[in-house]
Each structure stands twice: as structure tokens, then as C-alpha cells.
Amino acid sequence: MASILDEYEDSLSRSACLQQSRANVGIPHSGYVNARLEKETPVFNKQRIDFTPPEKINSLVVSCNQLCMSLGRDTLFRIDLGKADEPNQVELGRKDEARVYKMFLDHTGSHLVIALNTSECLYLNRSAQKVRTLSRWKGHMIESVGWNKFLGSETNTGPILVGTAQGQIYEAEISVSEGSLFSTNPDQYFRLVYSLEEEAGPTQVCCLEIERGLDGKCFIIATTRKRLFQFVGKVPEGTEQQGFGFVFGMHADHLPSFREFPASFGYSEIAFYTPKLRSSPRSFAWMMGNGVLYGTLDYGRPDSILSDERVWEYPSDVDVAANKPISIVLTQFHFLLLLPDRVKAVCTLNGQVVFQDLFLEKFGSLKRMIKDPTVGQIWIHTEKVVFRYHVQRESRDVWKMYMNINKFDLAKEYCKDRPECLDIVLAREAEHSFQNKRYLDSAKCYALTQNYFEEIALKFIEAKQEEALMEFLLKKLANLKSSEKTQTTLLTTWLTELYLNRLGALEGDTSKRNLYDETREKFCSFLSSPRNKECLFNNRASIYELLASHGDTEHMVYFSVIMQDYERVVAHHCQHDDYDEALNVITRHRDEKLFYKFSPVLIQHIPKKVVDAWIFMGTKLDARKLIPALVNYSQSGSTQQISEAIRYMEFCVCELEETEQAIHNYLLSLYALCRPDSLLSYLEQAGTNPNRIHYDLKYALRLCAEHGHHRACVHVYKVMELYEEAVDLALQVDVDLAKSCADLPEEDEELRKKLWLKIARHVVQEEKDVKKAMACLSSCNLLKIEDVLPFFPDFVTIDHFKEAICNSLEDYNRHIEELKREMEEATQSAKRIREDIQEMRNKYGSVEPQEKCAACDFPLLNRPFYLFLCGHMFHYDCLFQAVFPNLPAYKQAKLEDLQKKLGATSQPSKAHHRPKDTDVTSLGKGQQSREQIKADIDDIVAAECVYCGELMIRSIDKPFIDPQKYEEERQSWL
């Protein structure tokens, strides 16, 4: 058979030419059409808020859908964005020239801290309408606030951190209790915990962030103009409400770890990105003089929470000296820089500017950009206008960026719901793996793409990567639909060829034994895969040819077992003289056809085990179909072999109670050949009733006669009721046996007498034993001395018969006396009968006029009737209807015939002439015949009372209502 691999390589070459021609005319390699029917909305969609402030906007903060802005000098404007049509305005109530410097809103949108340019601080709760002074905070220019996201509530901030322009970090707590809202001291405490410095001395604390890690660790991030500090410490359990003094106390003697950059434009700002459904940020972006430090937050690290850091320089068109970035906001894949006249979005994956939005001069200079950490919306304001950015499907093109930097797993994650993009990523990953000689990984990816099958297969063949080619084919096969039967057949056959080639190459190399075992295990898994079962079964002939061409008998047997082709498996074991295993296969699967086919071979070598298997199968095997195997096996004449045949036949007859004549005849033949004693026992156990005997009597008789088993022949004669032949043959064996045969025809005294005479003649004439002849007379009461005397010779004296003659005379006398006694008894019986007859003639019964029929309950005297001795009275027709259905069929027929005859005799003569004498005579005879017919009818109908006789007893199990009329009767009662 030509190699399938070679044929397929030719087809691949032709397909490669076809592919090139397709490429020349612009046919895409992917099975997807990448077309967009509508213009996609931008990732960052800007919206101008329809709001015209009465005064200039000084500051704006947003958190948890709560927006607060400072207008002019003394006005605070609050809006719940869920109820935008219900704004709230609060007056600060300041009489001096103090203005709002910065505002800080916690993560719940409940606590608002207002820092004034006079180093004073005010506080406003979301549920309050009046600001309150934080007296303990006075004298400090507040630059940043680190809110406690873990202990804060709507009425209490919990321990928080406050950063000042002098580099000091204070710990504070603000609490507003219900009923004491207008208390003079909402700030519970305000204490210094740490001071930050740079090389030039104290510097402002630009930002503060508090995060909690694993095992109770607390991470505090603080930034200055050029430095980013980290404070790490484990807060003792139960002391969370006591604040962060323990964390800062750990760094009292030494500086905490920090990142420092040389350049500075006088301030810095850090932004965090928190995914939805999470409470802790995942990444950060720190805007400082040298660029933007971007990284992720790893809470599992012991000393530093910052991970995967890198610095993205500002875009080339950003002049840091003239147009410094004002604010930064971080999203999942971008950070947005706010410049005085525009917004730039930079991708955190590659540092490229992917979005730029230029604002018109009429709106004024941009002041600040903030992000609502809960909702994710971005807010920008000038002194006159407020803008809002919606972030929509930010990850839509992220897959390209991950793909370009060879992060294919992430690329696939972000395009898993876009199959056309996923196909591109998989193709790029496959090509990347192929170029880096990771052929197996490449094959797995190629199998998932829509690239041309022929192109990929040729690619691996040219690279001589057979293992990768097999992996590719396996994955392709797994991805095929059940309807693609042609492709499935092609791949399955090709993979079988490849597996066999690989096993053949590895089998002789002892150094690669482990690889050979691993490949063999994979091949077995491939053959036994439920997914491939149907295809392998439909093409099993080709698979067998492939296995045979490679001489791989081991896998041929394995494949045969999987295909449940046990006949091939058993034949293989028999060819290799492994008869025990062949029998084990047959027994394990209990296939009757295999037993019938291979038993003739197996029984020649392992007879006992084969018979044991037959017995184990029991009634599932048809013993008739096994007889040829036994006959062929027992012809060798070995006693052991015949014993096994007898053992199974006895099992069939005794245990299975087999009634097939062929089985019993064969067992008889085996008994006649080797076990005569068992033969007679078997015949006697079978009984003497021909209807219950399962062997062929004539065959048994011939078989026993051929082997000289006379006693068995006598038994068969007895069963066949050939008693004369049985006695004749028995006399050749044993007289007692003949006697037992002579007594069998119990009902035929004449035959019995004849048989006993045969025995007596044999005893007298052959054995010449007078005493034994006399014993025959005593054994059979049918023989008399006069019957036996003719057999004796003339020289025998009467002395030998004296006793027998006397006994015979005495018997005659007794018989005469018995006859006399019987005659006297008969005479007395006749006399009594005559008396009874005379008495019956005078017996009568009286019927009253009001008597009614016992069956129809109508007056009795209206029609002919019967009167019984029991007292019951019936009309003739009523009694007839009651008796007729219960009579036997022959009596019913006789009764109908009598009725017809009675009707015929009652017809008047149609002749108009005067009857002659002969006619009168004839009529007299007809009248007498009519009376006889009526008497015969009475004998049948009125033999006994229908209510008191046997007829009523026999009908005790008859239903009261005829089943055929039951439904009619039931309906009549409704």
C-alpha cells in the first residue's frame, strides 16, 4: 500500500500552488472578514456639562458620584450626580479675604475638607448645610489628605493622614455624631507623625495614599516634588483605631525607602487605578519632573508595594519648561496628562500617545483634571466650563499592543470575544514560536487559526518537525466538527501513519526507550479516544492495513480490542499458540459466536479449561452447536478427552436439563463407548415413559446392540413395550431380569402368561431345573401346573409335581366355593331390585295450582314441566335452556339431533286420501318411535335436578354475569 504521507505531501504541494494563486488575487489568509459597518465611538468621549457658573470656579472635586466645586470667594456648590437637577449651595460665611486653596473629598463622598489660603481648614459633611472649622488644623497649609478606606464611614473618617506644605505628615480624625452635628470640635485629634525632606530641606507633601496588604500589613505612599516614599509596617491586631503611629515609628531612626528623580517642576501628582469590584488599586502613575513613573502594586511583597516600574517620558511636543503638565489621571491602560490647553492620553503598554483633545481658547486655561474612583468618569474644569470624559471600551485595541510586544496571553485575553482579532493574535504567536524554534507551541497555535491547512503542514514538513506536525494534526482533528467526516478521516489516517513511523524509528534505539514508551502511550490514547471512535470504526480496514504493513501486531491487537473485533484478537492468539489468552478473551467478553468458532481449535489443546468455560457460560451457549467440536475432539480416542466431552454433556443434561435429542444421543454414544455402567444408570434415570424420554429409542437400541450392552438393550425394549423381545434377550443374560420384564404388561394377562411360559420353557428345557420351574409357578398366579407339564420330558416322575398338583386342586375348590357365594348374592340382589321397581311404580308427587317454575317464576301448570324428587319444578323449555349450555359437546349434538327427529315425527300428513292399512301400521310405528325420542331427551335433560345435581357443582366457578354481556348489564344499572 502506498504511503499516505507521501500522497498527502503531494496534495500539500498542489495546495501551496493554489494558495499562491489566491494570494496573487488578494484572497485573505484568514477566514474572517474584518469590516466595520459603523464608525466606532472614541475611547475617551468628551461631554461639556450644561452649567454656567455664576462665579469663577476655584476648585472641583468628585467622588462616589458626589461633585463639589468652589465658586468665587465664599460659595460652595454641591451636586449629587444621581440627582443632578437638585443642586445644593452652601455659603462659607467668611468675612475676611480668605479663599479656597484646595478641597479634598473622601472615597464615600461624605467628608469634604476645605483648605483656605489663610492656613485654615473647614469641614462639611454631606448631610450638613453648614461648614465647620477644624480648629486643630489651623496654621497649616494643607497640600494632601490620605483617606482611610478601611475604617471610614459616613459620620467618621477614622484615622487619616494630612500632608502640609512644610513637609509634615499629621494623623487626624474627624467625627460627626448625630445630635451633636454643631459641636465646636469635629476634629478629634491632630498630631504630627512624620516629616518629609529632600536634599534642600523640608518640602511639601504632594500626595498621600493609604493601602492595606496581606497579613495586616499597611502601606503608606507619600510623594514630594522629586521623591516617592513608602512606609511599610504591620499594624498589630486590634489597634487599627489607634492610627498609624506604629508604622511611622518604625522609620524614626532611618529614612523609608523612596524613589527620587533629579528634575522637578515644583510639584508632583500620583494617580491610581482601581478595577471594578475591588477595593485596592492595581497600578499607579506618578507625574514628576522627569516624566511619568508607571508600575503595578504588589501587596504580597514584604518591603515595597511598587512593582514593574518604568518611566515614560513626556511626549516630544510637551515643553516642560513652558507648558508643564497640571494633572494626571490613570485608567486601565492609559494615563491622561492635563496641559494648559489640551489633554493627552498615553498608552501604558508602549508609551505612545493614542489620544489628544485640544480645547478652544474661549473656554480659558485648563485648571485641574480629576477622576471619580468609584464611577470612573474623568472631570476637567476651567474657570468657566466643566467637561466630563466617558471611558468606553478602553481595551478594544489593547490586544494589538500586547501582540506587538509579544505578550500573547494578554493579547488573547483582551480579544477573546472578537474571533477575527483572536485569529490574528494566534497566527502571530504561532509564527513567533516557529521562528524561535518552539515548534510544539507553534503547532498548537497554528491549529487554532484560520490559516491554510496545507501551508502550515508543509511548513512543518520542510522544517522536518514531525512531532510538531503530529501536534498540529491532533489539534486540528480535535477542532473539526462532527459533520466534517472527510477531513476527519484524512487526519486520522495520516496521524496513524505518523505514529507508526515514529514508533518504528524509536523501537530499535535503546537510548530512547522512555520516548518510545511515551509515544506508544499517546498512540494508544489516540486509538481509544471516544472522539475518534466512529471514524476509526468506519475506516478500520485501512487502519488494519497500516498496522499490518508496519508489522505492529501489538497495536493491531489493541486496536482490535477497541473496535470490539475480538474474533481477530482470538485468531491472533491462536496463531501464536497462546490458547489460554485466546480463551480468556472469549470468556471475558462472553461472545457465543466466538465460542462456536474457536472451540474446535481450543479444545484440542486445553480441553479442561474449554469445558470449564462452557460450563461457566451455562445456558448462554447452545450445546448443539458445540457437538461438532466435541465429536472432532473425541475421535482421537483418548480416555481423558472423552471424559471431558462426557463431563460437559452430563452438565447439559443434569444441570441445564437440556431436552435436545441430539445431546442425549451423543451422551448415549459416549457412555456406550467408554462407560457402560453409566449407560445403564442413565437409561434407568430417564424412566420408562416414552413421552418423557429425550433420546432416540431406536438409536439407543442399535447403539447398545452394537456394543453388546444386553442389559441396556433389555431396558430399551421395555420402554418400547416390546416385552417378548425384552424377555427373549433377558433370558440370555439373567432369568430374574426376564421375570421382571414378564410382569410389566399388567393389563394384558394373556401376554403376561405367554411371557411366563417362555421363562418356564427356558428354565425347563435350557436349564433343566425342575425346582426353578416350580418356582415360576409360585411367582406368577397365571400359570397352572397343566400349562407347564408339556415342557417336561417324559422321564420326569410325578413326585416332582405332587405338591404343585395338590395346590392346584385346592385352588380349584376355593374358586368353586367363591362362585357359589357370588351366585347366592346375585339372587338376593335381583330380588331386592324387583321389590324396588314395584315400589317406584306406585310412587307419585302432587303439584298445587299456584306452584311456579323455579327458573322463570311463572305458573308451572301453563306448560309441560318436570318434577324432581328434591322438590324443584321446572318448565320443559326452562330446564332445557339451563341444561343445554353446560352439556358436553357430543351430548349437545345428540340433543339437537333428537329435537330434529321429534319435530319431524310431529308433522301431520299432507296426503288427502284415506290412509291404507299399511299407512296405519306405519303410523303406529312412528308414534312408538316418538315416545322413544321423548324418553331419550328426558334421559339427557332431566337426568338430575339442575339446582341439586352435579351440574350446579361443576358451574361453581362460572361468573354470575356472562363476560360478553357484562358491559350491557353494567349500563343497565346506570
Side-chain angles (χ1 to χ4, degrees):
M1 188 180 76
S3 172
I4 295 177
L5 180 60
D6 295 339
E7 294 179 2
Y8 197 70
E9 286 179 357
D10 295 339
S11 67
L12 288 177
S13 301
R14 294 192 296 270
S15 298
C17 298
L18 177 60
Q19 172 194 346
Q20 183 62 40
S21 63
R22 287 176 177 172
N24 293 337
V25 296
I27 296 178
H29 285 222
S30 173
Y32 299 100
V33 178
N34 189 8
R36 295 182 178 178
L37 301 179
E38 298 179 358
K39 184 179 180 181
E40 289 188 339
T41 58
V43 176
F44 302 100
N45 188 20
K46 182 174 70 173
Q47 176 187 6
R48 179 181 175 181
I49 305 302
D50 187 13
F51 171 71
T52 303
E55 298 181 74
K56 294 182 178 180
I57 302 174
N58 299 323
S59 180
L60 183 144
V61 289
V62 181
S63 182
C64 198
N65 233 15
Q66 301 294 319
L67 183 145
C68 300
M69 65 177 71
S70 170
L71 303 177
R73 184 180 64 82
D74 196 46
T75 304
L76 193 65
F77 203 73
R78 295 188 298 181
I79 301 176
D80 184 347
L81 297 176
K83 304 175 183 178
D85 55 346
E86 300 177 7
N88 178 254
Q89 184 172 326
V90 178
E91 301 296 331
L92 298 182
R94 302 289 296 191
K95 304 299 182 183
D96 53 12
E97 296 298 324
R99 290 182 175 274
V100 175
Y101 173 62
K102 284 186 177 183
M103 293 194 303
F104 308 95
L105 187 62
D106 80 320
H107 63 287
T108 66
S110 301
H111 306 283
L112 176 65
V113 174
I114 306 165
L116 304 178
N117 58 359
T118 58
S119 299
E120 294 178 272
C121 285
L122 304 177
Y123 169 75
L124 180 63
N125 190 275
R126 183 167 64 179
S127 60
Q129 295 295 325
K130 185 177 180 180
V131 297
R132 301 170 63 187
T133 303
L134 300 176
S135 58
R136 290 186 175 88
W137 296 37
K138 188 174 182 179
H140 301 283
M141 184 64 70
I142 306 303
E143 293 288 343
S144 58
V145 174
W147 299 102
N148 193 330
K149 294 180 287 187
F150 310 102
L151 297 178
S153 65
E154 292 184 0
T155 59
N156 189 289
T157 63
I160 61 174
L161 297 177
V162 180
T164 67
Q166 293 77 32
Q168 298 165 330
I169 299 178
Y170 288 86
E171 183 182 306
E173 183 176 358
I174 302 174
S175 178
V176 179
S177 301
E178 295 182 5
S180 59
L181 184 61
F182 301 100
S183 173
T184 56
N185 293 315
D187 47 341
Q188 301 298 309
Y189 61 89
F190 191 79
R191 57 173 175 260
L192 178 67
V193 292
Y194 204 83
S195 296
L196 297 180
E197 294 184 357
E198 292 183 351
E199 293 178 356
T203 181
Q204 64 184 17
V205 182
C206 299
C207 297
L208 285 170
E209 180 74 16
I210 303 170
E211 296 297 337
R212 181 179 295 177
L214 303 176
D215 300 328
K217 282 186 179 181
C218 181
F219 296 90
I220 298 173
I221 297 176
T223 65
T224 61
R225 294 173 299 176
K226 297 165 51 177
R227 291 183 177 181
L228 186 151
F229 294 89
Q230 294 184 76
F231 298 89
V232 182
K234 187 173 182 180
V235 178
E237 187 175 356
T239 63
E240 291 85 354
Q241 292 288 352
Q242 298 179 11
F244 306 99
F246 180 80
V247 178
F248 288 103
M250 297 176 63
H251 303 280
D253 299 332
H254 61 278
L255 286 174
S257 62
F258 62 87
R259 305 284 191 274
E260 183 175 14
F261 293 90
S264 170
F265 38 67
Y267 56 89
S268 69
E269 184 174 337
I270 191 168
F272 295 90
Y273 167 69
T274 303
K276 292 182 179 180
L277 306 178
R278 288 186 57 179
S279 59
S280 301
R282 191 177 70 183
S283 56
F284 73 95
W286 180 37
M287 182 185 72
M288 40 76 182
N290 289 84
V292 176
L293 176 66
Y294 173 79
T296 58
L297 301 177
D298 186 355
Y299 298 96
R301 299 180 65 183
D303 300 325
S304 174
I305 193 174
L306 308 182
S307 177
D308 299 331
E309 305 166 51
R310 65 181 303 174
V311 177
W312 293 113
E313 296 182 355
Y314 294 114
S316 58
D317 58 343
V318 176
D319 186 357
V320 178
N323 295 319
K324 298 178 183 179
I326 302 170
S327 296
I328 187 171
V329 163
L330 181 62
T331 63
Q332 186 177 3
F333 298 106
H334 304 86
F335 59 83
L336 280 72
L337 295 174
L338 180 68
L339 301 173
D341 61 344
R342 69 193 64 194
V343 173
K344 286 183 178 290
V346 179
C347 180
T348 58
L349 301 177
N350 55 18
Q352 301 295 318
V353 177
V354 296
F355 172 77
Q356 179 173 278
D357 194 3
L358 184 64
F359 288 78
L360 301 177
E361 294 182 1
K362 67 177 182 178
F363 298 134
S365 177
L366 303 179
K367 295 298 182 183
R368 184 167 172 77
M369 176 174 61
I370 54 177
K371 177 185 175 185
D372 187 338
T374 304
V375 181
Q377 295 177 344
I378 301 170
W379 297 79
I380 297 176
H381 74 91
T382 66
E383 292 181 347
K384 303 176 182 179
V385 186
V386 178
F387 297 94
R388 178 172 58 190
Y389 280 93
H390 291 277
V391 182
Q392 297 179 337
R393 296 180 58 227
E394 184 183 4
S395 61
R396 68 182 70 171
D397 294 326
V398 170
W399 64 272
K400 293 181 182 178
M401 302 172 192
Y402 278 128
M403 181 182 69
N404 292 332
I405 60 176
N406 297 331
K407 291 186 177 181
F408 300 108
D409 290 338
L410 291 172
K412 288 183 284 188
E413 180 67 23
Y414 286 101
C415 65
K416 59 185 177 182
D417 56 343
R418 300 170 65 183
E420 71 280 1
C421 302
L422 180 61
D423 188 70
I424 297 173
V425 174
L426 288 170
R428 178 73 67 85
E429 182 182 6
E431 185 63 30
H432 180 266
S433 299
F434 191 90
Q435 292 176 356
N436 288 277
K437 297 184 178 181
R438 291 187 286 110
Y439 298 108
L440 285 178
D441 294 338
S442 176
K444 293 176 182 178
C445 292
Y446 268 132
L448 300 175
T449 66
Q450 297 294 320
N451 288 26
Y452 290 126
F453 175 84
E454 301 89 339
E455 175 189 359
I456 301 168
L458 282 172
K459 197 168 189 176
F460 287 117
I461 292 174
E462 291 171 356
K464 297 182 179 180
Q465 295 298 320
E466 187 174 300
E467 185 177 1
L469 176 61
M470 291 171 63
E471 184 68 25
F472 169 69
L473 297 178
L474 284 170
K475 294 295 182 182
K476 270 294 184 184
L477 179 62
N479 294 331
L480 288 177
K481 299 177 182 178
S482 57
S483 59
E484 298 175 318
K485 297 186 181 298
T486 303
Q487 294 88 331
T488 302
T489 302
L490 174 63
L491 293 181
T492 302
T493 311
W494 193 4
L495 279 166
T496 303
E497 175 78 11
L498 291 175
Y499 271 120
L500 292 173
N501 288 339
R502 186 168 179 79
L503 288 171
L506 295 174
E507 186 174 10
D509 194 344
T510 56
S511 62
K512 297 181 179 179
R513 186 64 186 178
N514 293 335
L515 182 58
Y516 172 79
D517 293 338
E518 181 181 351
T519 306
R520 183 177 62 179
E521 184 177 350
K522 289 181 179 179
F523 184 42
C524 291
S525 300
F526 170 75
L527 293 177
S528 60
S529 172
R531 180 180 178 83
N532 304 331
K533 185 174 182 179
E534 181 181 359
C535 177
L536 290 171
F537 181 80
N538 294 334
N539 299 278
R540 59 188 182 278
S542 300
I543 303 299
Y544 280 131
E545 290 181 8
L546 284 174
L547 292 167
S549 64
H550 285 265
D552 195 340
T553 56
E554 177 185 358
H555 289 104
M556 180 181 290
V557 172
Y558 180 79
F559 180 68
S560 301
V561 172
I562 294 173
M563 295 292 103
Q564 298 183 354
D565 188 2
Y566 302 116
E567 181 178 343
R568 188 182 295 268
V569 178
V570 175
H572 168 78
H573 290 309
C574 291
Q575 289 173 2
H576 292 79
D577 298 335
D578 192 357
Y579 302 105
D580 288 335
E581 186 59 30
L583 181 61
N584 289 337
V585 173
I586 299 175
T587 306
R588 185 164 55 249
H589 298 286
R590 300 187 178 188
D591 190 337
E592 299 87 348
K593 295 181 180 179
L594 295 181
F595 271 105
Y596 301 145
K597 182 170 184 177
F598 292 98
S599 288
V601 177
L602 295 176
I603 201 169
Q604 299 290 338
H605 301 87
I606 47 174
K608 186 178 184 306
K609 292 181 179 180
V610 172
V611 172
D612 289 341
W614 289 351
I615 293 174
F616 175 75
M617 290 291 291
T619 56
K620 291 184 178 180
L621 292 180
D622 186 353
R624 293 177 303 171
K625 297 182 179 180
L626 297 174
I627 290 178
L630 290 172
V631 172
N632 184 42
Y633 165 68
S634 59
Q635 283 178 350
S636 60
S638 170
T639 304
Q640 180 184 0
Q641 294 171 338
I642 297 177
S643 297
E644 293 300 328
I646 292 176
R647 182 163 71 97
Y648 181 65
M649 289 291 103
E650 287 178 340
F651 169 78
C652 294
V653 171
C654 300
E655 300 295 332
L656 302 183
E657 299 180 354
E658 189 66 59
T659 59
E660 279 295 329
Q661 190 178 81
I663 295 173
H664 287 263
N665 288 344
Y666 183 58
L667 180 59
L668 271 175
S669 67
L670 294 175
Y671 279 151
L673 182 64
C674 294
R675 295 185 186 177
D677 297 338
S678 299
L679 171 63
L680 186 59
S681 300
Y682 167 77
L683 293 175
E684 290 174 349
Q685 289 177 1
T688 58
N689 188 346
N691 297 325
R692 296 183 179 180
I693 289 177
H694 305 299
Y695 58 84
D696 186 345
L697 290 169
K698 295 181 180 179
Y699 173 76
L701 183 62
R702 179 172 58 82
L703 194 67
C704 296
E706 287 178 358
H707 292 84
H709 303 311
H710 297 304
R711 288 184 178 272
C713 286
V714 170
H715 180 83
V716 176
Y717 277 135
K718 289 192 295 184
V719 175
M720 298 173 70
E721 298 183 355
L722 300 175
Y723 301 115
E724 293 189 38
E725 290 82 353
V727 170
D728 292 340
L729 184 60
L731 289 174
Q732 300 178 19
V733 179
D734 186 6
V735 174
D736 292 336
L737 179 61
K739 290 180 180 180
S740 64
C741 295
D743 284 332
L744 290 177
E746 297 177 353
E747 298 180 356
D748 191 346
E749 293 185 355
E750 183 178 353
L751 179 60
R752 285 177 58 200
K753 184 176 181 179
K754 181 178 181 181
L755 296 177
W756 278 102
L757 287 174
K758 282 179 176 283
I759 296 173
R761 179 183 297 167
H762 174 80
V763 171
V764 173
Q765 296 179 354
E766 300 296 332
E767 298 186 4
K768 303 182 185 306
D769 189 341
V770 177
K771 292 183 178 180
K772 188 178 290 188
M774 294 299 100
C776 290
L777 293 178
S778 60
S779 299
C780 179
N781 55 4
L782 298 178
L783 292 181
K784 304 297 179 183
I785 184 63
E786 58 270 26
D787 298 325
V788 181
L789 285 176
F791 303 144
F792 288 94
D794 297 336
F795 58 84
V796 177
T797 62
I798 196 171
D799 294 338
H800 295 89
F801 313 110
K802 182 179 180 179
E803 183 178 357
I805 293 172
C806 291
N807 291 336
S808 178
L809 293 175
E810 290 178 359
D811 289 340
Y812 281 129
N813 287 333
R814 283 194 299 271
H815 183 59
I816 292 170
E817 293 296 329
E818 289 178 359
L819 289 175
K820 288 181 179 179
R821 188 169 54 253
E822 290 176 358
M823 290 174 64
E824 291 178 356
E825 290 177 355
T827 303
Q828 295 295 329
S829 296
K831 183 179 180 182
R832 286 195 297 269
I833 290 171
R834 283 193 296 270
E835 292 175 353
D836 290 341
I837 292 172
Q838 185 64 32
E839 184 180 356
M840 287 296 296
R841 288 176 179 174
N842 299 326
K843 196 169 183 179
Y844 64 92
S846 61
V847 178
E848 298 295 333
Q850 67 272 14
E851 293 291 348
K852 295 182 179 181
C853 175
C856 66
D857 204 30
F858 280 94
L860 185 68
L861 300 177
N862 291 346
R863 300 195 300 272
F865 64 90
Y866 289 99
L867 172 63
F868 291 94
L869 294 177
C870 62
H872 287 113
M873 293 169 280
F874 300 92
H875 288 129
Y876 167 77
D877 53 345
C878 294
L879 183 63
F880 185 89
Q881 292 177 1
V883 172
F884 186 80
N886 298 285
L887 292 175
Y890 74 94
K891 283 192 175 183
Q892 288 182 354
K894 183 177 180 181
L895 191 58
E896 289 176 351
D897 185 53
L898 291 173
Q899 288 278 60
K900 291 179 180 178
K901 288 181 178 179
L902 182 63
T905 57
S906 63
Q907 292 179 0
S909 176
K910 295 183 180 180
H912 299 285
H913 60 82
R914 184 186 179 110
K916 297 181 181 180
D917 294 340
T918 57
D919 296 333
V920 173
T921 305
S922 176
L923 183 62
K925 293 180 180 179
Q927 188 68 27
Q928 185 179 2
S929 176
R930 175 181 173 81
E931 293 299 330
Q932 183 62 39
I933 292 172
K934 291 178 67 176
D936 292 341
I937 293 175
D938 290 343
D939 290 341
I940 297 174
V941 176
E944 59 181 358
C945 176
V946 71
Y947 287 169
C948 302
E950 293 182 3
L951 183 63
M952 181 60 66
I953 297 174
R954 289 198 301 270
S955 65
I956 193 170
D957 59 344
K958 182 178 179 181
F960 288 109
I961 301 174
D962 189 350
Q964 297 179 354
K965 299 181 180 179
Y966 175 79
E967 186 62 27
E968 179 182 352
E969 185 70 21
R970 189 181 71 83
Q971 293 293 336
S972 68
W973 282 80
L974 296 179

